[in-house]
Amino acid sequence: MGDIMASKLFDKLNLQQAEAVRIVSGPVMAVAGAGSGKTRVLTNRVAYLIDEVGIPANRILAITFTNRAAEEMKSRVFKLIQLPLKGIWISTFHAMGAKILRNDIHHLGYENNFQIIDDDDTVIITKNILKDLNYDPKQYNPKALSNLVEAAKADPIVLEIQTQPFKKVLGEVFEEYQSFLKKNNLVDFQDLLVLILRLFREFPEVLKKYQNWFEYILVDEFQDTNDLQYDIVHLLAQKHKNLFIVGDEDQSIYAFRGANIQNIRKFMRDFPDYHKIILNQNYRSKKTILDAANAVIKHNRNRIPKDLFSE
């Protein structure tokens, strides 16, 4: 069974892809160009860890950026192996945050049955707070304020760099907003990351539990992680150091959401014994298109060099 399984895992992979699947221990960075089959690498790696290496499915954490990508990954892994995948964590950062907080948010003084509010709710709450504080919502845009409150949760410097009188208004709204959420046992999307970090930093025993738990961590689209997400992954990977990242600095698309393209550099600094694999065979485009793309991309500063090619 194992041999049949192994051949099924590797028969559609090129040499670099197969290497990315097989290197099991320690930090690994796969620099994956567009159309280079990285989803296949990630799913086959998860299947390989479970089926060949014998890692229990629930000790693996695979993080991707959209619910759709997470579902796609799950269904591909299901197709590859016959073993039950009970308890495997394949999810977005926010879904992972919600799951951890459901177990452990009580340490921070919330109830475990908290409700998650969406962006529309945050704007309504901000608007009501403005009125309660006797500020005119026509003068201070609730949506813009709500975005700044979210940014300030991740980085308090946002509150400091404003000029008066706006600085005072934002500071008051921020305080009221935070206390309203806590009083009503509510968390917003940003809290799903911010509160996880607080939990890990203030309660070392909680961090230790998850560090022990996740023996293998895989992160897709690493160039699109923001600082909060980087810090969460960095903390979780401290014990086993089996962190596999797939990224391409040339493809970062979430800068407007705070994505930090430097996170690939941080990974190289924080895990100096990493193994690097370049996935540069493109399965999506013809050679002429790739030549044009390579010519443009090579002017990006500080990038990890890789020239895409196609058969």
Side-chain angles (χ1 to χ4, degrees):
M1 163 74 194
D3 292 344
I4 298 167
M5 182 61 233
S7 68
K8 188 177 163 190
L9 283 180
F10 291 101
D11 62 1
K12 287 188 176 154
L13 302 183
N14 65 36
L15 283 173
Q16 287 78 16
Q17 290 172 330
E19 186 189 357
V21 168
R22 271 203 183 95
I23 294 175
V24 170
S25 300
V28 180
M29 172 172 77
V31 181
S36 61
K38 64 188 173 56
T39 309
R40 182 182 291 166
V41 167
L42 278 163
T43 48
N44 286 39
R45 185 178 169 88
V46 171
Y48 183 74
L49 285 170
I50 297 167
D51 204 71
E52 292 292 309
V53 186
I55 305 300
N58 63 356
R59 308 310 282 273
I60 297 169
L61 168 64
I63 306 173
T64 183
F65 267 77
T66 62
N67 290 321
R68 192 173 153 207
E71 287 312 313
E72 165 79 1
M73 211 188 216
K74 270 183 212 159
S75 76
R76 286 205 201 183
V77 175
F78 274 117
K79 281 186 190 130
L80 284 168
I81 54 181
Q82 269 71 58
L83 293 171
L85 292 182
K86 192 168 168 36
I88 190 164
W89 292 54
I90 297 181
S91 74
T92 62
F93 273 102
H94 290 88
M96 173 195 76
K99 208 166 164 181
I100 290 174
L101 291 175
R102 286 274 174 237
N103 295 329
D104 291 289
I105 200 171
H106 58 275
H107 293 282
L108 297 172
Y110 292 76
E111 302 287 321
N112 284 14
N113 63 347
F114 60 85
Q115 262 188 298
I116 301 169
I117 58 173
D118 64 19
D119 291 347
D120 292 341
D121 298 324
T122 63
V123 175
I124 293 164
I125 293 166
T126 307
K127 191 173 182 179
N128 292 338
I129 288 170
L130 279 169
K131 287 178 185 163
D132 291 346
L133 293 169
N134 292 320
Y135 292 120
D136 181 1
K138 285 196 179 76
Q139 190 184 350
Y140 298 103
N141 182 316
K143 185 159 176 43
L145 267 171
S146 154
N147 289 341
L148 283 168
V149 166
E150 187 177 308
K153 285 187 184 214
D155 188 354
I157 194 108
V158 172
L159 298 173
E160 296 306 313
I161 59 175
Q162 310 302 327
T163 50
Q164 297 295 12
F166 185 73
K167 182 177 180 177
K168 177 175 176 285
V169 177
L170 179 61
E172 288 176 24
V173 170
F174 182 83
E175 292 300 322
E176 289 296 321
Y177 177 85
Q178 292 287 68
S179 86
F180 178 86
L181 260 54
K182 185 148 190 202
K183 202 160 60 197
N184 292 283
N185 207 35
L186 302 170
V187 304
D188 60 22
F189 282 134
Q190 188 73 306
D191 285 330
L192 296 176
L193 302 177
V194 171
L195 294 180
I196 289 291
L197 265 181
R198 250 192 74 197
L199 197 56
F200 287 170
R201 286 173 175 157
E202 292 174 23
F203 299 91
E205 70 283 8
V206 175
L207 172 60
K208 203 166 171 192
K209 173 173 81 171
Y210 289 101
Q211 283 177 335
N212 288 334
W213 191 255
F214 296 126
E215 287 181 48
Y216 289 86
I217 301 172
L218 303 88
V219 187
D220 192 12
E221 308 287 12
F222 201 76
Q223 76 281 351
D224 288 327
T225 52
N226 61 31
D227 291 337
L228 291 171
Q229 291 161 336
Y230 181 86
D231 290 345
I232 290 167
V233 168
H234 181 230
L235 283 171
L236 284 174
Q238 284 309 297
K239 166 117 198 257
H240 297 289
K241 302 242 184 331
N242 297 323
L243 174 58
F244 179 84
I245 69 164
V246 180
D248 177 14
E249 297 160 307
D250 299 328
Q251 290 187 75
S252 182
I253 56 169
Y254 285 126
F256 67 95
R257 279 197 209 159
N260 185 352
I261 201 158
Q262 290 303 320
N263 284 349
I264 290 180
R265 305 274 153 193
K266 280 196 223 165
F267 169 87
M268 293 155 77
R269 180 198 69 206
D270 293 335
F271 299 92
D273 55 340
Y274 71 93
H275 185 95
K276 179 170 80 179
I277 299 159
I278 306 273
L279 303 175
N280 59 351
Q281 182 168 353
N282 178 288
Y283 292 93
R284 218 183 282 155
S285 309
K286 290 207 165 71
K287 184 177 181 306
T288 43
I289 294 172
L290 294 179
D291 289 347
N294 287 331
V296 173
I297 291 168
K298 74 166 186 269
H299 297 295
N300 288 358
R301 276 196 214 128
N302 294 329
R303 65 188 283 270
I304 297 165
K306 64 171 178 323
D307 271 342
L308 294 171
F309 70 93
S310 173
E311 295 288 321

